[in-house]
Amino acid sequence: MTVTANPNQALWEKGDFTQVAEAMRASGEALVARLGITPGTRLLDLGCGDGTTAVPAARLGAEVLGVDIASNLVAAGNQRAEAESLTKCRFQEGDASHLDDLADDSFDLVVSIFGAMFAPRPSDVAKEMVRVTRPGGQIVMGNWIPNDPTLVAQILKISSSYSPPPPEGFISPMTWGVEENVIERFAQAGIPSDRIDFSRETYTFEYPAAPTKLLAVFRTYYGPTMNAYAAAEANGRTEALHQELTALFTSHNTSPNADATSIPATFLQVSVSV
Ligand SMILES: C[S@@+](CC[C@H](N)C(=O)[O-])C[C@H]1O[C@@H](n2cnc3c(N)ncnc32)[C@H](O)[C@@H]1O
């Protein structure tokens, strides 16, 4: 594990999100296919992980920069791009709250799928996304929705109920899944509400084994779930947490095959015209 003083970075460098991302590739590709990308589209993928959306965007001919706070995921993204000879797809470390080395108006499309929502200072994130998007360009965010009954919102809700309270002043990433908050944050960045569209969309987690095996992937590799198990263990509540998550993963599996997992999860898609 990398030791770092930035807790946001430490959370995501813990474990290995690439293992979870393997279950998200098909939905990532499907989302990218809806974005109207054409060869030469200058695309920034913020909080890109190892490129679940960046790589398929580059396959469509976009010139892609992936920015992520986690150095291990940046390295994994660059390896994936290299393996596919995607010469116009590169990944670098950066923080969505302050994209210091990116120039104003430099992208046609800024995408952030379950990425920038995890950065601190959400109003700064909105301002930075708007600043680097050219006038007439688009921002597309995918954000998990608080209290939504589907998989990821429930994983995060259950995990937080076993974890110590966050530090004072912490703004939950889930607030990005509430339309009023999104409107307020983009208003502070100079974008009126009539230039923001919302829709409810679905990401499906596909895994070639039983849902308990996918839970094991989250337990072993997904920072927020790893932290929840560690906190539960410290309080002698590991079994209770494990049972709750097992029931969640099992009951949400829609695959007719017991040795396969297909779990849909609802998210808020935010489309902003800059
Ligand atoms: C749930 S993962 C999603 C990754 C990717 N977008 C995908 O769809 O697979 C969240 C990502 O956001 C990144 N992230 C968290 N905080 C960030 C920040 N402040 N700036 C940039 N990236 C950040 C994490 O490192 C992680 O890769």
Side-chain angles (χ1 to χ4, degrees):
M1 188 185 104
T2 310
V3 177
T4 159
N6 178 339
N8 176 226
Q9 185 176 16
L11 175 70
W12 294 101
E13 287 185 344
K14 195 172 193 158
D16 180 1
F17 186 76
T18 66
Q19 301 288 325
V20 176
E22 284 296 334
M24 303 167 74
R25 301 297 191 213
S27 287
E29 272 189 54
L31 186 149
V32 165
R34 300 197 301 268
L35 296 179
I37 291 167
T38 52
T41 298
R42 296 168 302 162
L43 187 150
L44 170 66
D45 189 345
L46 257 191
C48 55
D50 67 345
T52 290
T53 41
V55 166
R59 286 186 201 130
L60 294 176
E63 294 174 12
V64 179
L65 175 64
V67 168
D68 198 283
I69 197 138
S71 56
N72 54 331
L73 300 178
V74 166
N78 277 323
Q79 275 170 18
R80 291 186 70 217
E82 201 176 320
E84 290 197 32
S85 303
L86 294 168
T87 52
K88 292 188 174 164
C89 181
R90 65 188 179 85
F91 295 76
Q92 68 183 40
E93 263 185 74
D95 188 330
S97 311
H98 52 96
L99 297 168
D100 302 337
D101 52 351
L102 301 187
D104 296 359
D105 307 337
S106 44
F107 297 95
D108 304 304
L109 179 59
V110 173
V111 176
S112 189
I113 305 304
F114 325 127
M117 67 174 285
F118 290 102
R121 300 194 305 282
S123 295
D124 289 355
V125 171
K127 281 182 197 145
E128 284 295 76
M129 288 193 289
V130 171
R131 179 182 68 75
V132 301
T133 307
R134 70 160 168 83
Q138 282 274 323
I139 299 169
V140 176
M141 293 183 86
N143 301 330
W144 300 121
I145 303 166
N147 295 315
D148 181 83
T150 62
L151 185 76
V152 183
Q154 288 299 314
I155 295 175
L156 294 170
K157 186 176 180 183
I158 294 168
S159 296
S160 66
S161 73
Y162 285 82
S163 305
E168 183 127 345
F170 176 81
I171 302 172
S172 166
M174 303 302 281
T175 56
W176 271 113
V178 177
E179 294 182 18
E180 293 73 28
N181 294 331
V182 174
I183 288 169
E184 186 187 335
R185 289 165 188 173
F186 281 108
Q188 288 169 7
I191 301 291
S193 60
D194 62 0
R195 288 207 251 143
I196 307 176
D197 285 324
F198 296 102
S199 60
R200 298 289 195 276
E201 306 291 346
T202 302
Y203 240 63
T204 302
F205 289 75
E206 305 278 4
Y207 196 67
T212 50
K213 302 278 192 223
L214 180 60
L215 170 57
V217 170
F218 274 79
R219 181 177 182 168
T220 312
Y221 298 112
Y222 182 60
T225 314
M226 294 167 75
N227 281 353
Y229 271 95
E233 192 176 342
N235 295 311
R237 298 175 71 207
T238 308
E239 199 42 43
L241 169 61
H242 191 57
Q243 275 182 16
E244 268 199 74
L245 289 175
T246 301
L248 174 72
F249 276 71
T250 308
S251 64
H252 284 242
N253 187 22
T254 62
S255 172
N257 176 351
D259 289 329
T261 300
S262 179
I263 304 182
T266 306
F267 67 97
L268 180 69
Q269 184 164 320
V270 179
S271 304
V272 179
S273 301
V274 176

